[in-house]
């Protein structure tokens, strides 16, 4: 399944969506049009009965440079812009909808991820980045604080000290450094980008989707739960998974010493 878009590319095949931010001449920076198209793609994904995963990446030499500041027209002398409007109307729903998808959301950072672009990447469940990729919390350079969820994601991923340094000083964090910090899952060679994307799509399309969803739910809930509460959640989720067709197939495949053929059910 493919649809026509102007500033993103979107496909949905075998239950796996692929969104490519597609303004390479502007390092895929966000506009109102792009936000609208992302919302429309998420509408399609949320309505998909057999959704199994989502991959997000960028076109060209960058992943996303954040908000396109050129879209903000100058105001008359003495007036000030309410920057919270864009956050509430565009970034908040985008990030929350991505986090709420009951399937793995994998980001492939193919170049610079700056500002809200970095926040978009970190909102995903698993992040790969090419070696030439880099993460920049560039907000302080224009007198702002990290937004689009950046102040929530950063300290949870790398701790307060590293989050504070990256946010206050806006220094570049290389993909290798991001991997060593635990900011991302894996740094890959630039030339492995296409192969990695194809591998991820295959893995999501053939994986135990219900187990993926439960794992995502449990891991995100853990920071707000006591150990006893987390045990209760594990019991509930594991009980549900024990009744799935994929669990039965997994056990059969294990006994028969073959690869499982999961159906996501």
């Amino acid at each position: 399944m493919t649809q026509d878009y102007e500033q993103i590319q979107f496909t949905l095949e075998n239950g796996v969506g692929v969104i490519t931010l597609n303004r390479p001449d502007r390092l895929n920076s966000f506009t109102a049009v792009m936000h609208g198209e992302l919302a429309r793609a998420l509408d399609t994904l949320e309505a998909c009965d057999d959704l199994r995963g989502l991959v997000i990446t960028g076109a060209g030499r960058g992943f996303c440079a954040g908000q396109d500041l050129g879209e903000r027209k100058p105001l008359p002398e003495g007036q000030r812009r309410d920057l919270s409007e864009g956050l509430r109307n565009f970034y908040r729903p985008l990030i929350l909808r991505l986090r709420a998808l009951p399937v793995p959301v994998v980001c492939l950072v193919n170049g610079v991820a700056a500002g809200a672009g970095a926040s978009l990447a970190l909102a995903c469940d698993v992040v790969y980045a090419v070696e030439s990729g880099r993460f920049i919390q560039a907000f302080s350079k224009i007198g702002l604080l990290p937004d689009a969820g950046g102040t929530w994601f950063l300290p949870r991923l790398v701790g307060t000290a590293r989050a504070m340094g990256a946010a206050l000083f806006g220094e570049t964090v290389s993909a290798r450094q991001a991997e060593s910090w635990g900011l991302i899952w894996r740094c890959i060679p630039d030339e492995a980008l296409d192969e990695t994307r194809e591998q991820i799509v295959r893995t999501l399309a053939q994986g135990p989707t219900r187990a993926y969803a439960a794992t995502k739910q449990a891991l995100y809930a853990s920071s707000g739960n006591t150990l006893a509460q987390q045990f209760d959640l594990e019991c509930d989720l594991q009980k549900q998974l024990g009744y799935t067709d994929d669990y039965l197939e997994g056990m059969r495949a294990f006994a028969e010493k073959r690869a499982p053929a999961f159906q996501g059910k």
Side-chain angles (χ1 to χ4, degrees), residues 45-94:
L45 293 169
E46 290 168 349
C48 180
D49 292 332
D50 60 348
L51 186 64
R52 305 191 75 170
L54 171 63
V55 177
I56 301 177
T57 190
R61 59 189 179 89
F63 172 66
C64 179
Q67 174 64 40
D68 187 341
L69 299 180
E71 195 175 54
R72 293 176 176 168
K73 297 178 181 179
L75 296 175
E77 183 70 25
Q79 293 189 17
R80 298 291 186 267
R81 189 183 305 276
D82 182 353
L83 298 181
S84 70
E85 291 183 355
L87 287 173
R88 290 195 180 96
N89 295 334
F90 295 126
Y91 290 103
R92 186 178 191 275
L94 169 63

Side-chain angles (χ1 to χ4, degrees), residues 1-2 10-18 44-45 48 50-51 53:
M1 171 186 173
T2 61
F10 174 56
T11 61
L12 177 56
E13 298 177 0
N14 299 318
V16 180
V18 178
T44 301
L45 293 169
C48 180
D50 60 348
L51 186 64

Side-chain angles (χ1 to χ4, degrees), residues 11-202:
T11 61
L12 177 56
E13 298 177 0
N14 299 318
V16 180
V18 178
I19 292 175
T20 303
L21 308 181
N22 192 31
R23 298 184 71 219
D25 56 320
R26 300 289 295 174
L27 291 176
N28 303 316
S29 54
F30 284 109
T31 66
V33 170
M34 180 182 284
H35 276 291
E37 293 184 353
L38 288 168
R40 185 151 55 95
L42 286 171
D43 289 342
T44 301
L45 293 169
E46 290 168 349
C48 180
D49 292 332
D50 60 348
L51 186 64
R52 305 191 75 170
L54 171 63
V55 177
I56 301 177
T57 190
R61 59 189 179 89
F63 172 66
C64 179
Q67 174 64 40
D68 187 341
L69 299 180
E71 195 175 54
R72 293 176 176 168
K73 297 178 181 179
L75 296 175
E77 183 70 25
Q79 293 189 17
R80 298 291 186 267
R81 189 183 305 276
D82 182 353
L83 298 181
S84 70
E85 291 183 355
L87 287 173
R88 290 195 180 96
N89 295 334
F90 295 126
Y91 290 103
R92 186 178 191 275
L94 169 63
I95 298 302
L96 292 182
R97 291 178 77 182
L98 285 175
R99 293 290 282 209
L101 281 178
V103 293
V105 179
V106 180
C107 184
L108 283 167
V109 176
N110 56 302
V112 65
S119 297
L120 172 65
L122 301 182
C124 298
D125 303 315
V126 179
V127 183
Y128 291 79
V130 296
E131 287 181 330
S132 64
R134 56 199 190 278
F135 298 82
I136 310 172
Q137 296 298 326
F139 297 91
S140 65
K141 305 294 186 182
I142 57 172
L144 298 176
L145 86 160
D147 62 21
T151 59
W152 195 89
F153 296 122
L154 280 170
R156 282 166 171 77
L157 290 168
V158 300
T160 301
R162 284 172 169 160
M164 196 70 75
L168 289 178
F169 305 127
E171 295 183 5
T172 298
V173 177
S174 70
R176 281 291 176 204
Q177 190 175 14
E179 182 186 55
S180 69
W181 279 10
L183 187 67
I184 66 171
W185 163 237
R186 185 163 294 167
C187 176
I188 61 173
D190 286 55
E191 60 270 20
L193 178 66
D194 291 341
E195 179 185 352
T196 301
R197 182 174 59 248
E198 293 171 3
Q199 176 188 350
I200 292 169
V201 169
R202 285 196 304 270

